[in-house]
Amino acid sequence: MKDDKSYEVIIIGGSYAGLSAAMALGRSLRSVLVIDSGLPCNRQTPHSHNFITHDGEKPQNIVKKAREEVLNYTGVKLHKGVAVSGKKTSVGFEIATESGEIFNAKKLIFATGVEDIIPSIQGFSACWGISVIHCPYCHGYEFKNKKTAIMANGERAFHLAGLVNNLSADLTLLTSGKADLDFKQKAKLQVYGIEIIEEEIGEIQHKNGWVQQVILKNGTVLAFDAVYAAIPFRQHSVIPVELGCELTEQGHLKIDNFQKTTIAGVFACGDNSSMMRSVSNAVAAGNLAGAMVNKELIDENF
């Protein structure tokens, strides 16, 4: 490291994936800068699940402990801020932050996650991550045998119905429009007693983020304890695409089996490059990304 603005690796995003990558690199004596806004996508979620040794822990507590452990490695530094632009240089990459600071590195790791596109339904945002949830593996057990709705349509709705049906027999599909399901899919849902309601949702009534009722636009009131919602997303950071990184058809950063994007020297890990949105997957992907960046640096210099 030549100065406090130049590093071997810059990691953009300091939650589970980013900190996991930083630990792998810190333990390999690399100079690393982690740039993080301090606003993870699951900041509203009360408890994290399905991650051994941390099952039921508050997400912010996991991140706090992880940050303390990672920063014990003297080569790793944390910069609180937002990376807003990046460009290729003759020796690597240059990253600019919202505050106007410029940092340089040989390699980049994006652990920037994705941004959920919240529908304009009153009450949805307040419940998101609490009782309006996205993942049966992350949250389903806590709502087992509860009165449950699935807010989705098409293949995603049918896929979720199969997963959630194993957790609750009291299940309703809210398609908010004509159900995009074929005859066989509708017949399967009927066999399992899953009602399909096509009327659009007008409001989610809740108490401190805990769903109580879903009100349809025709005035019908439905009582639920939980709502699974399959909503669209976009990349949280535009920098990878600006650098030329390709996206998959689903909108994730395209990576190979070693977390490398389609641009040399640029890696990605976590929700921004995986359909499996979970803490455990983010930690694993970050660990691999850190190891692969270290290997690439070794291959270039040894």
Side-chain angles (χ1 to χ4, degrees):
M1 183 167 57
K2 296 178 181 179
D3 54 54
D4 63 354
K5 300 292 183 181
S6 298
Y7 297 82
E8 291 178 290
V9 186
I10 291 176
I11 300 172
I12 302 175
S15 191
Y16 310 106
L19 291 173
S20 181
M23 177 171 281
L25 289 160
R27 290 180 58 81
S28 297
L29 303 184
R30 297 298 181 183
S31 61
V32 181
L33 179 68
V34 179
I35 301 175
D36 183 58
S37 67
L39 296 172
C41 68
N42 68 346
R43 58 187 176 274
Q44 192 163 278
T45 303
H47 302 283
S48 175
H49 292 284
N50 206 29
F51 181 27
I52 56 173
T53 74
H54 291 287
D55 190 44
E57 182 63 273
K58 293 181 179 179
Q60 59 266 36
N61 290 348
I62 300 175
V63 171
K64 180 182 178 182
K65 184 177 182 180
R67 188 183 297 120
E68 291 171 352
E69 292 176 348
V70 169
L71 293 179
N72 280 330
Y73 296 96
T74 55
V76 181
K77 306 299 179 187
L78 176 67
H79 175 79
K80 187 173 182 180
V82 178
V84 294
S85 66
K87 66 180 182 180
K88 189 82 171 68
T89 67
S90 60
V91 294
F93 301 90
E94 179 182 283
I95 295 294
T97 68
E98 197 171 46
S99 60
E101 294 184 84
I102 303 295
F103 299 99
N104 296 279
K106 297 177 182 177
K107 307 291 180 184
L108 296 179
I109 298 176
F110 286 95
T112 40
V114 293
E115 181 182 359
D116 295 303
I117 302 173
I118 303 297
S120 56
I121 296 172
Q122 185 177 342
F124 188 102
S125 180
C127 297
W128 185 233
I130 300 172
S131 60
V132 176
I133 50 183
H134 78 286
C135 174
Y137 295 105
C138 298
H139 309 288
Y141 184 86
E142 283 61 48
F143 292 100
K144 65 183 184 299
N145 302 321
K146 299 292 186 180
K147 191 170 178 60
T148 304
I150 293 176
M151 180 183 156
N153 206 345
E155 289 294 334
R156 294 190 72 184
F158 187 74
H159 174 68
L160 264 176
L163 290 174
V164 180
N165 181 70
N166 192 54
L167 296 164
S168 174
D170 194 345
L171 189 57
T172 303
L173 179 58
L174 306 175
T175 59
S176 283
K178 184 174 176 57
D180 184 18
L181 299 163
D182 62 31
F183 175 78
K184 289 184 178 179
Q185 290 172 327
K186 289 180 179 179
K188 179 62 72 68
L189 295 176
Q190 186 175 15
V191 166
Y192 284 95
I194 301 172
E195 183 182 4
I196 302 172
I197 297 178
E198 297 179 325
E199 180 68 27
E200 290 189 23
I201 298 170
E203 180 184 350
I204 297 175
Q205 291 188 337
H206 65 95
K207 185 174 182 180
N208 299 322
W210 297 96
V211 172
Q212 295 182 313
Q213 297 177 141
V214 171
I215 302 177
L216 305 181
K217 286 190 174 180
N218 66 2
T220 301
V221 178
L222 304 169
F224 293 109
D225 298 303
V227 177
Y228 287 87
I231 61 175
F233 68 88
R234 53 179 162 250
Q235 287 290 321
H236 198 265
S237 172
V238 299
I239 301 174
V241 173
E242 290 178 347
L243 289 172
C245 296
E246 294 181 25
L247 298 177
T248 67
E249 290 183 4
Q250 293 77 27
H252 297 100
L253 289 170
K254 186 181 289 185
I255 56 172
D256 66 10
N257 291 334
F258 302 105
Q259 307 298 139
K260 295 176 67 172
T261 71
T262 54
I263 295 299
V266 181
F267 293 70
C269 53
D271 292 352
N272 64 8
S273 49
S274 173
M275 294 177 66
M276 188 68 176
R277 292 181 67 177
S278 70
V279 173
S280 55
N281 184 68
V283 171
N287 183 262
L288 179 59
M292 291 301 102
V293 167
N294 184 59
K295 181 182 184 303
E296 197 164 272
L297 289 168
I298 291 171
D299 291 344
E300 292 171 357
N301 294 284
F302 183 74

